[in-house]
Amino acid sequence: MSRARDPDDAGDVTLTLEDEWYVARDEETGVASQGKTRAKALANLAEALELHERPVPEGEDVDDPSTAPWL
């Protein structure tokens, strides 16, 4: 289970350029996102981290395998 972060604690983020996309990865959680610019990649990472840290609603079954087509 993930824990909420202190907004003042940015943590370690790796930013790389792969082809024409910037990839931002949070080293603590392993969450990554991308964007056409550094700023967009970091903004997308911030959004992904918010979603990652969001608690699972009560009663929602998270033990079922995902039906996502990419898995």
Side-chain angles (χ1 to χ4, degrees), residues 24-39:
R25 181 177 187 274
D26 177 74
E27 296 301 323
E28 181 180 337
T29 62
V31 173
S33 195
Q34 64 184 15
K36 285 288 192 179
T37 65
R38 291 171 53 123

Side-chain angles (χ1 to χ4, degrees), residues 5 9-15 24-31 42 45 49:
R5 283 190 194 201
D9 179 20
D12 290 329
V13 172
T14 302
L15 191 61
R25 181 177 187 274
D26 177 74
E27 296 301 323
E28 181 180 337
T29 62
V31 173
L42 291 169
L45 177 61
L49 285 168

